[in-house]
Every structure is written in C-alpha cells, then in structure tokens.
C-alpha cells in the first residue's frame, strides 16, 4: 500500500491571482468581445457569483473544484442532491482507478486509438494518458491511500499493442487496503478537502441551463433551481460540468443505448442534465452509445433499488435464463463474468425472436428459472455492494441465505409445475407488453435437461463443471444435492427437475454512461464546427473519452481524476470576465 501523509501545498495566493486577473480584465476592457460579453452579462440578474462554477459534487466535480481552488480560483459547487449527501456515482463505486505506467504514454495512446476505433480524438486520448502518468504523485500529494493491483496490465484486450501502458490501483483506508469501499473513502476525502479549501457546496441545486453570450458564445454562468427557487449563478472564469451522465434517465437510456430497458446502480441524480444543457449551447457529442455495465440484476419496485451482484450463475446448479420468447439464448454461466461484465451488453444483442406477444427487445427483461435444489444451494444475491457505507437511499436489506424470504415477498415466483410458473411470470411481464407461451418454456426446460443428461450443452456451450466457491447447502438439504452440485463433474449442467420451481425477473444493469460532449486536450467543450465554446469544461463521465467499449480497469476513475485536474487547472487559468 502506498500513502503519504505530508501534503504538499499547491495553494497559490488568491489575493495575488485576483490582482493579476483584475489588471488583465482592465487592459482587455476595450476589446469588442469583452465589451459585448460585459454588456450582455449586465442584463442578467445574478443571485450569486464565483470565479469557477462546478456543477456536480461527485468524483469529477470534486477533483475539478479542488484543483481550481489550489490554483488560486474562487470556487462554488452546485449539487443536485437535496439530502446534503452528494458523492454521485463515484461514491458508490469500489474506487479502482487507472494510471499510466511511466514512460508508456505513446503506447497507451496507440492502444486506445485502436480500441476506440477513432471515436475519440488523439489529442484528448494523449491528454488523458499524460495526466495518468501523474496519478500516483497526485494521490500521494493529497494524502489518499491506495493499494496497487499487482498485474502486468489492467487493459481488457491485453493482446492489442500498447496494453502494457495501463495499471490500476484501488483507493482504500490506510489501515485496510483490501476493501470495496474506495468510492466512499474518496468522498470522505472530498468533503474534508473542499471544506479545508473554503469551497462552498450548495445542495438541492439543480442546474438547468447554461447562460451564453449570444455574440461571443462565452459561457457566463448557469440557471439553477436552488431549494425550489430559480436563480442565475455567475461564473466569472468558467463553468465545469460534472453531473454524472444519464444512467438514471430511462428515456435517454432507451433512446441512446442497447439493450433497453436497463436498470442502473448509478446515482439516481445522474439524469443527463449536462447533456441537455450542452445541446442548448451547440456542443457536439461523441460515443453516446457507450457505457459501462454492471452485469445483470434484480429491480425491486417497492424500494426502487437494483441488486446488481446477482450470483445465481457463479456456482452452477439447476437453472436457466429464458428471454421473452421463452427460450435460452446464451451460456448462462459465463456471459457476464469477470471483466466481460463491463460490456456484457453484447450478450443481449443477438437477434431477438420478435413474435406477436414479444414485440420489444427480446432479451430484457429476462427470467431465471430454477428448482428447489438451486434455491437451497446459495443466496442468489450476495450482499456485496460498492461503497459499503453508502447514502441512506442505497441501503439494502440483507438477502436470505436460502432465498426463502424473497419468495415470501413475491420477488421470486414459485409454482409446483413449469406451466404454473409461467403463469406467474406472465402476470409479472404483462406490464412490459409481452406474454410467454408455457409450452415453449416446457420445451426449453426439456431440451436443457436432455443436455444435462448428455453432459454437453451443444447449443450454447455451457461448461459442465464450475469451481464451487459458495457456502453450499445447509444441514437440512437433501444429501444427494450435495454430492451432485458440490462434488459432481457436471455441477454446472444440473437438470431442473426438483419441484417446486422458481423464477425471478432480471435485467441488464447499467453503471455509467460515457456519452459526452466532444472536447479537446484542455477539456474544453467543442461545438459542432469543432470550435471551442469559451469558458466551458467537462469532467468525470460528462467528459469521458471512452468510445465503443469500456476497456481499461479503472477507466471511469481516469475520467474523474485526469479530467478533473485538467479542467480545474484550465478553468482557473481563464481571465476574469468583468
């Protein structure tokens, strides 16, 4: 573990900086651009003003704010969350961040240009990789503990040239390097650091519109609804957008992403606010169809929570997935395992069976069917969640060890026969606009059981055996289950035959979207003609460079840390507009 407790001071005298900026503003006062900007700004009724205005107190926003303040700028953060918690989706994550191996910038640029298929500019990728070389020094300088991940490369596609450039570490508590709470550790740091730097954070402040000079196209500030009141907030240097993408906006997800519908484990406030504001000022966009998945999970309408760490496929047993046509379509045990979970959307993108009763996307939502032996084998959801000490609205009740409580709650459907189980499924899926033929499901189960008898899944290649890692059956379970499912050579091809039978609705789970405004290497937003929109920057996933596929361990945190620093530095360096 690497940590450094002596913090270097990057604070540059705010008084001196303000004085220099004031002189610069006075000298520039005769220019037609400044005059126009000043004239238009004077027509706006400003409720508040600052130098650098950051929209969003998540990972990217907090790093941008801290960096701008350390460069001597006055900083104000507007955060949409009305609870006073903040932290965004970053707070809910495990805190794995990328960094560039020293001397490997060129290799990393080459690698990402190949992976992203030219969906992101070389200038932006190079800035990302160069800033990544500074990652560990910055963490040390800011007293943030981390644990290095001891692998040769954390790139997904290690056979593509340049993969050796990418390394990964995990934010952690100094006395506990092995944990899944990095996002919360970071948020604690952010709260303390912005307070130490005197940065004001205004909660219950939803930015709705960028205020743009119609002549110079400069961004002067934002209109925001603050505690129910619409106010105009002036940014005399720049605005940094870091609102966290659009994972929680179901309409935008359905329009931009495949498959749909999906459920999200991201912050409920990640509703695409920046995208909408950027559209209004003429920004151009890239990779709006790219995102980071969190495999698949169960959505409970009662508490509006998504349980994404569904482990039903990890330990084998008697289960299958069926789509809206009542058929299997994939090897259930491996399609969303390991790093493939980041882009397991491809498993949902095979040609669906469009029928008269299933006219929406054919593989989501889908249903897992299993029998009594599988119910008793292990909890199908393990109570592991990114950021253990998360905001109150993400707390989840424990899942029962034998799944019985979830059956009682009606989350898991139960029936004595497969046709009876399909009746329960159809009562549930009617709200999604489709029905499943019981005869088709019976045939699907029969075919799967026949593959189990042969020990070979010739249709989808599901392996016969998996390494069992769970706790296994309790003392009351049938001993034959233990011999078959824990020790057997075919513990992953187990027939569905021990009634009663069960089903649970599942859907692909979205973590973060990576669609963003086009930007240059300074994190300045570009318009549709490739010109800089003055005084406008992005950070976090609002400034993501990820195109086509999420391909690096800690890639989103690279957007948080790298673009947070880049945008903060450059925003602070802008001349004050008087």
């Amino acid at each position: 573990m690497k940590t450094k407790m002596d913090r270097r001071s990057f604070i540059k005298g705010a008084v001196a900086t303000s004085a220099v900026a004031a002189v610069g503003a006075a000298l520039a006062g005769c220019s037609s651009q400044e005059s126009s900007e000043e004239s238009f700004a004077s027509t706006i009724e400003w409720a508040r003003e600052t130098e650098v205005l950051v929209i969003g107190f998540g990972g990217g926003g907090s790093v941008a704010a801290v960096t701008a303040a350390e460069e001597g700028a006055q900083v104000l953060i507007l955060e949409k969350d009305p609870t006073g918690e903040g932290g965004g989706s970053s707070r809910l994550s495990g805190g794995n961040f990328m960094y560039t191996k020293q001397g490997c910038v060129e290799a990393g640029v080459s690698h990402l240009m190949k992976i992203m298929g030219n969906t992101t500019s070389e200038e932006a990728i190079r800035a990302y990789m160069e800033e990544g070389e500074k990652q560990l020094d910055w963490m040390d300088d800011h007293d943030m503990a981390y644990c290095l991940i001891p692998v040769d490369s954390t790139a997904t596609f290690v056979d593509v040239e340049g993969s050796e450039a990418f390394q990964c570490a995990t934010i952690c508590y100094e006395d506990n390097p092995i944990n899944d709470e990095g996002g919360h550790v970071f948020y604690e740091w952010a709260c303390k650091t912005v307070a130490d730097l005197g940065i004001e954070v205004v909660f219950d402040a939803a930015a709705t519109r960028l205020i743009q000079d119609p002549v110079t196209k400069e961004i002067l500030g934002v209109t925001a609804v603050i505690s129910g009141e619409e106010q105009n907030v002036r940014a005399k240097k720049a605005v940094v957008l870091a609102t966290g993408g659009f994972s929680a906006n179901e309409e935008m997800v359905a329009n931009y992403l495949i498959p749909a519908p999906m459920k999200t484990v991201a912050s409920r406030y990640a509703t695409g606010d920046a995208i909408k504001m950027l559209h209004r000022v003429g920004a151009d966009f890239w990779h709006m169809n790219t995102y980071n998945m969190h495999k698949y999970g169960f959505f409970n309408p009662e508490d509006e929570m998504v349980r994404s760490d569904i482990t039903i496929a990890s330990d084998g047993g008697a289960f299958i997935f069926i789509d809206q046509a009542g058929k299997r379509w994939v090897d259930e045990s491996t399609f969303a395992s390991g790093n493939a979970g980041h882009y397991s959307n491809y498993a949902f993108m095979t040609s669906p069976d469009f029928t008269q009763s299933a006219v929406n996307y054919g593989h989501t939502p889908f249903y897992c069917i299993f029998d009594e032996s599988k119910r008793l084998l292990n909890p199908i959801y393990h109570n592991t969640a990114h950021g253990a000490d998360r905001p109150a609205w993400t707390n989840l009740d424990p899942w029962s060890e034998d799944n019985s409580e979830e059956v009682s709650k009606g989350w898991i459907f139960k029936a004595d026969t497969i046709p009876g189980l399909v009746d329960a499924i159809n009562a549930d899926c009617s709200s999604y606009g489709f029905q499943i033929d019981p005869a088709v499901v019976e045939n699907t189960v029969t075919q799967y059981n026949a593959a189990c008898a042969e020990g070979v899944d010739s249709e989808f290649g599901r392996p016969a055996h998996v390494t069992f890692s769970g706790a296994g059956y309790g003392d009351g379970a049938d001993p034959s289950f233990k011999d078959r499912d824990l020790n057997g050579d075919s513990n992953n091809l187990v027939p569905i035959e021990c009634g009663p039978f069960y089903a649970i609705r599942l859907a692909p789970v979205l973590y973060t979207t990576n669609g963003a405004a086009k930007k240059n290497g300074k994190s300045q937003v570009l318009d549709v003609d490739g010109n800089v929109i003055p005084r406008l920057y992005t950070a976090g996933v609002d400034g993501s460079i990820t195109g086509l596929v999420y391909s690096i361990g800690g890639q989103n945190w690279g957007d948080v840390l790298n673009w947070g620093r880049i945008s903060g530095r450059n925003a602070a360096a802008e001349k004050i507009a008087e």
Side-chain angles (χ1 to χ4, degrees):
M1 182 177 70
K2 177 80 169 169
T3 182
K4 183 172 181 178
M5 301 307 295
D6 293 327
R7 179 171 179 162
R8 299 178 197 166
S9 174
F10 284 84
I11 309 298
K12 300 178 180 176
V15 174
T17 302
S18 298
V20 172
V23 172
L27 293 174
C30 296
S31 71
S32 59
Q33 176 171 317
E34 194 71 26
S35 175
S36 171
E37 191 266 349
E38 184 180 22
S39 176
F40 182 76
S42 67
T43 68
I44 307 296
E45 182 178 347
W46 301 106
R48 303 166 184 254
E49 71 172 34
T50 188
E51 291 179 353
V52 174
L53 177 60
V54 177
I55 310 301
F57 187 39
S62 60
V63 174
V66 166
T67 303
E70 290 177 339
E71 293 291 328
Q74 179 192 33
V75 181
L76 173 67
I77 301 174
L78 300 185
E79 168 53 47
K80 183 178 182 179
D81 189 341
T83 68
E85 290 280 355
S89 300
S90 301
R91 185 178 179 184
L92 312 182
S93 80
N96 292 343
F97 64 90
M98 67 75 65
Y99 65 94
T100 307
K101 185 185 295 184
Q102 293 298 309
C104 290
V105 168
E106 293 303 322
V109 171
S110 174
H111 180 88
L112 288 180
M113 290 295 291
K114 291 183 176 71
I115 296 298
M116 295 182 186
N118 295 317
T119 60
T120 305
S121 71
E122 182 175 346
E123 178 187 356
I125 291 175
R126 184 174 303 280
Y128 179 91
M129 294 302 299
E130 288 176 347
E131 195 67 29
E133 268 195 321
K134 308 170 187 176
Q135 209 78 281
L136 299 186
D137 286 342
W138 186 86
M139 302 292 282
D140 294 342
D141 292 337
H142 289 78
D143 299 338
M144 197 175 302
Y146 56 88
C147 180
L148 301 179
I149 297 176
V151 295
D152 292 335
S153 171
T154 52
T156 299
F157 304 104
V158 294
D159 293 331
V160 176
E161 182 182 358
S163 64
E164 70 277 5
F166 302 96
Q167 299 293 294
C168 191
T170 301
I171 300 169
C172 61
Y173 289 111
E174 186 178 1
D175 59 353
N176 182 18
I178 308 300
N179 67 79
D180 197 26
E181 303 176 31
H184 185 70
V185 175
F186 179 88
Y187 181 65
E188 289 180 336
W189 170 86
C191 289
K192 180 181 184 304
T193 305
V194 299
D196 290 347
L197 292 171
I199 299 170
E200 182 184 4
V201 182
V202 179
F203 291 94
D204 195 12
T208 58
R209 188 179 297 270
L210 291 162
I211 299 174
Q212 184 178 40
D213 186 294
V215 177
T216 67
K217 302 304 180 183
E218 289 182 298
I219 301 302
L220 309 178
V222 304
T223 299
V225 178
I226 301 176
S227 299
E229 178 186 356
E230 188 173 89
Q231 300 182 16
N232 297 320
V233 182
R234 180 80 160 100
K236 300 179 76 173
K237 283 194 170 186
V239 172
V240 180
L241 295 177
T243 67
F246 59 90
S247 298
N249 186 318
E250 292 190 355
E251 181 180 2
M252 292 181 71
V253 168
N255 276 291
Y256 288 117
L257 307 182
I258 293 176
M262 285 190 284
K263 297 300 180 181
T264 185
V265 290
S267 166
R268 64 174 59 184
Y269 304 110
T271 53
D273 298 349
I275 301 295
K276 297 173 185 178
M277 290 188 283
L278 288 160
H279 268 295
R280 293 189 182 106
V281 298
D284 202 359
F285 293 86
W286 54 22
H287 37 75
M288 288 295 292
N289 62 341
T290 305
Y291 57 96
N292 175 13
M293 288 193 73
H294 210 266
K295 306 180 184 180
Y296 52 85
F298 168 69
F299 171 71
N300 173 33
E302 295 175 8
D303 61 13
E304 298 185 347
M305 289 294 100
V306 177
R307 289 140 174 94
S308 66
D309 295 297
I310 295 293
T311 54
I312 195 165
S314 61
D315 288 324
F319 76 99
I320 57 171
F321 295 161
I322 62 167
D323 63 13
Q324 296 172 15
K327 300 177 181 180
R328 293 178 67 211
W329 81 97
V330 72
D331 166 16
E332 299 89 346
S333 63
T334 61
F335 85 91
S337 62
N339 207 30
H342 288 310
Y343 49 91
S344 54
N345 54 310
Y346 292 108
F348 295 94
M349 291 169 64
T350 54
S351 297
D353 290 323
F354 288 110
T355 68
Q356 197 166 25
S357 62
V359 294
N360 54 356
Y361 203 87
H363 302 315
T364 176
F366 63 100
Y367 290 84
C368 177
I369 291 178
F370 55 101
D371 70 6
E372 179 72 355
S373 68
K374 180 65 172 175
R375 179 185 74 81
L376 295 170
L377 179 60
N378 256 338
I380 65 172
Y381 169 76
H382 287 182
N383 292 294
T384 57
H386 285 329
D389 186 14
R390 301 187 298 175
W393 54 263
T394 62
N395 289 340
L396 304 178
D397 292 331
W399 196 277
S400 62
E401 289 297 314
D402 62 359
N403 306 291
S404 59
E405 291 183 22
E406 291 67 38
V407 174
S408 299
K409 291 177 180 178
W411 298 357
I412 297 175
F413 312 128
K414 176 182 178 180
D416 292 330
T417 64
I418 294 297
L421 187 64
V422 177
D423 288 342
I425 291 173
N426 281 334
D428 176 71
C429 68
S430 59
S431 61
Y432 291 95
F434 66 92
Q435 295 283 277
I436 299 175
D437 186 344
V440 173
V441 179
E442 276 197 293
N443 184 59
T444 298
V445 173
T446 298
Q447 290 180 333
Y448 166 75
N449 288 348
C452 294
E454 295 176 4
V456 177
D457 179 16
S458 58
E459 191 170 10
F460 299 105
R462 176 165 156 178
H465 179 80
V466 293
T467 300
F468 188 83
S469 59
Y473 292 108
D475 294 336
D478 188 327
S480 65
F481 292 166
K482 297 181 182 181
D483 293 338
R484 180 191 67 181
D485 298 341
L486 304 188
N487 306 316
D489 292 335
S490 297
N491 67 342
N492 194 41
L493 284 177
V494 178
I496 300 171
E497 58 187 9
C498 302
F501 303 98
Y502 302 89
I504 185 170
R505 176 182 13 90
L506 301 173
V509 172
L510 173 62
Y511 184 37
T512 54
T513 56
N514 297 107
K518 286 187 177 180
K519 66 197 299 178
N520 61 19
K522 294 182 178 180
S523 206
Q524 295 173 299
V525 174
L526 306 178
D527 67 17
V528 293
D529 296 314
N531 301 314
V532 169
I533 299 177
R535 303 184 187 275
L536 183 58
Y537 298 83
T538 57
V541 295
D542 281 347
S544 179
I545 64 160
T546 303
L548 290 185
V549 66
Y550 185 97
S551 62
I552 307 166
Q555 191 161 349
N556 280 340
W557 273 94
D559 290 327
V560 164
L561 298 168
N562 297 347
W563 293 120
R565 296 195 298 271
I566 293 170
S567 64
R569 281 198 306 269
N570 288 297
E574 294 274 7
K575 293 181 179 180
I576 290 180
E578 297 292 350

